[in-house]
Amino acid sequence: MSSDTSHAGSEEKLRRLQAVTDAALSQLGLEDLLDELLDRTRDLLQADTAAILLVDANGEELVATAASGLEQEVRQGVRLPVGRGFAGSVAARGEPIMIEHVDRTNVVNPILLARGVASVLGVPMLNGSQVIGVLHVGTLTPRRFTTDDVELLRLVADRASLATQARLSRLDRAAAVALQRSLLPARPRTVPGLDVAARYVPGTAVGVGGDWYDLFPLPSGHVGVAIGDVAGNGLRAAVVMGRIRSALRAYALESDEPADVLTRLDRKVQLFEPGAMATAIYAVLDPTLQSLTVSSAGHLPPLVAEPGEGTRLIPVEPDLPLGAHPGAPRHSIHTELAPGGCLFLYTDGLIERRTRPLDVGIDLLLRSLTYQPADAMCSAAMATLLSEEEATDDVAVMAVRRTDGAV
C-alpha cells in the first residue's frame, strides 16, 4: 500500500471518528442525540438502517429506543428477548455479531425481515462491564462488514452509552425528586394542639433517596407520626418509599399499636417489595396528646425537648429494619410527652458522616436542640449539622410540639 493511500485512509478514519464525537452533540437532549448519532452512523457506514435497543429493568428484554430507517421499531414498541435472535445474542454475549445473510433462522425481529434487510452488524452498549443495550446497522444489499466498521460502530455505541447513562441519571433524579416531593407534604397537616414542622433535602452525592416523614390524625382521636428511610437512592427508592408510606397509613387505620402496624408493614415489604429494606419509626400520640407509644424498625432514636429541661433520647430499642427478616418480632415502648414537649425525628443523612462515628453525630444533634418552636427546632438541627458541608445522603427531619404549656 502506498504512503498516499495510507495517509488518505488515516484522514478518513479521523473524519469518521470526529463525526461521532462532535462536541456539539453534547448539547442535544437524549432523543435528539441518539437520532443524530444514528443518522451519522448510517452515513459513515453507508448503511440503510440503524437502531438502538436498551435492556429493560428486568434484564430480560431489549426495548427499541431509537431508530433511523427502522422507525417503526420504536413506534410499535418492539421488545426482543435477550439471548434469542440477532440483537438478543449481541446482548447475551456482550460482543459484536455480523450476519451477511439475514433470514428467519438468525433474526427474530419481523420488522428487519419486512424491511428487507440483507446484512447486519451489531455491537453491545456497555456501562463498565454491564450490557445496557445493543446498537446495530443493516444494509438492504448483502455486505461483509470490515474490522474498521466494527471499530467505528463500537465507538458510536460507547458514545451512545455514555449519553444514555448521563441523561437517564439526570431524568431519574428529576423524576425521583418530583415523586418524592409529591409524596412529602411541603407543610405537614395541621392538628389541633400540635405545632408541626419538617424539612427535606436531597443528597448531593447519591441523589434523591427514600427518606420520608408523615403525620396524620386517626378516627380514634390518636395522631400517627412517622419517619423512615428506604435503602438505596434514585427513582426505585422513591417509588418504594411511596408504597411504604401509603401502606403504613392503611395499617394505622386498623391499629393504634405501633408495633402491630410495623409488623403488618414488614409483612407487606417482605411479600411485595422483595429485596427492599427500610428503617422506620412509627409513634402514636393518644387523644390527649400526653402519652406517646413508639416502635422502631432499625431507625435512629427519636429525641424529646421539654420546657426547662435538656433534650433527651427516647430509649426505644430498635427492632430489625423492614424487609430484613421474615417474622421479625417487634415491640413498642410508652413514654409521656410533657405539656409543651417537642418530639424530634430525623434520618441518618442528618448526622452520618464518613469522618465521624454515628454516636458523635447524635451527640452534636442533642447539643444543638434546645427547646423552641417546631420550625426553629428543624432550622437549628439543619444549621448545626449541615453548616460545614452539604448532605451527601438525603435528609428528612420533623418536629412535633404540644402547644399547651408552650413557652
Side-chain angles (χ1 to χ4, degrees):
M1 179 182 294
S2 69
S3 60
D4 288 343
T5 302
S6 177
H7 179 69
S10 297
E11 285 188 340
E12 174 61 14
K13 181 178 286 189
L14 179 61
R15 184 188 72 81
R16 297 170 95 193
L17 294 178
Q18 288 174 336
V20 294
T21 56
D22 185 352
L25 292 180
S26 63
Q27 306 303 314
L28 299 176
L30 178 58
E31 183 176 342
D32 291 338
L33 172 61
L34 295 182
D35 287 343
E36 184 65 24
L37 279 175
L38 292 181
D39 286 343
R40 293 187 185 196
T41 301
R42 283 182 62 189
D43 179 57
L44 293 171
L45 287 174
Q46 296 182 329
D48 298 298
T49 67
I52 287 175
L53 300 97
L54 297 180
V55 178
D56 70 1
N58 296 322
E60 297 177 354
E61 291 185 311
L62 291 165
V63 181
T65 304
S68 178
L70 283 174
E71 287 79 6
Q72 58 267 54
E73 273 200 0
V74 178
R75 288 198 296 266
Q76 296 177 24
V78 166
R79 302 178 75 94
L80 303 172
V82 172
R84 287 188 56 212
F86 162 62
S89 296
V90 174
R93 298 180 192 176
E95 60 187 32
I97 293 178
M98 301 182 219
I99 299 177
E100 288 186 48
H101 301 286
V102 168
D103 58 40
R104 295 184 183 278
T105 67
N106 49 37
V107 167
V108 298
N109 183 356
I111 293 179
L112 279 180
L113 298 170
R115 180 76 169 84
V117 172
S119 301
V120 288
L121 166 64
V123 298
M125 295 171 57
L126 301 173
N127 180 24
S129 61
Q130 180 185 8
V131 176
I132 64 169
V134 170
L135 167 62
H136 67 72
V137 294
T139 58
L140 299 181
T141 56
R143 163 102 167 259
R144 176 172 291 183
F145 291 96
T146 67
T147 301
D148 283 348
D149 294 334
V150 175
E151 181 182 343
L152 177 62
L153 201 58
R154 278 188 181 274
L155 178 69
V156 180
D158 289 344
R159 183 67 193 276
S161 297
L162 289 172
T164 300
Q165 291 302 107
R167 284 158 176 77
L168 287 181
S169 177
R170 289 198 293 269
L171 290 171
D172 182 86
R173 177 181 169 84
V177 169
L179 175 63
Q180 195 154 31
R181 291 197 182 280
S182 73
L183 293 170
L184 298 179
R187 188 177 185 83
R189 290 187 61 177
T190 300
V191 176
L194 294 177
D195 168 28
V196 183
R199 299 280 192 281
Y200 171 75
V201 178
T204 58
V206 298
V208 173
D211 287 17
W212 57 280
Y213 57 80
D214 204 2
L215 180 141
F216 45 84
L218 294 163
S220 61
H222 294 74
V223 177
V225 183
I227 197 164
D229 182 0
V230 176
N233 59 83
L235 187 58
R236 160 70 176 166
V239 169
V240 173
M241 174 272 290
R243 292 171 180 161
I244 287 177
R245 179 175 177 266
S246 295
L248 186 144
R249 283 187 163 197
Y251 297 138
L253 290 172
E254 300 174 359
S255 174
D256 294 327
E257 173 54 49
D260 183 38
V261 170
L262 291 184
T263 295
R264 299 181 190 206
L265 185 59
D266 185 35
R267 190 183 308 128
K268 185 265 185 193
V269 172
Q270 297 282 350
L271 183 60
F272 296 111
E273 309 292 348
M277 189 175 298
T279 66
I281 279 182
Y282 180 50
V284 174
L285 280 163
D286 77 345
T288 69
L289 307 181
Q290 298 174 9
S291 177
L292 184 68
T293 307
V294 184
S295 185
S296 172
H299 204 82
L300 295 165
L303 312 179
V304 168
E306 296 174 345
E309 304 288 340
T311 304
R312 60 180 172 84
L313 294 174
I314 294 179
V316 54
E317 191 69 28
D319 299 316
L320 288 177
L322 304 170
H325 185 74
R330 304 199 174 275
H331 75 287
S332 299
I333 68 160
H334 302 275
T335 187
E336 297 299 312
L337 189 63
C342 186
L343 171 68
F344 187 84
L345 304 172
Y346 55 99
T347 57
D348 59 3
L350 179 67
I351 63 169
E352 191 171 35
R353 302 291 182 274
R354 291 196 185 105
T355 56
R356 66 173 181 240
L358 203 59
D359 58 349
V360 173
I362 292 177
D363 185 61
L364 283 172
L365 179 59
L366 277 168
R367 287 190 278 115
S368 72
L369 293 182
T370 56
Y371 177 76
Q372 51 194 319
D375 191 68
M377 291 273 283
C378 292
S379 296
M382 301 294 270
T384 300
L385 277 297
L386 301 177
S387 60
E388 297 180 358
E389 56 182 326
E390 293 180 304
T392 55
D393 194 4
D394 51 339
V395 177
V397 302
M398 182 164 62
V400 182
R401 184 180 67 135
R402 284 181 60 184
T403 54
D404 60 323
V407 293

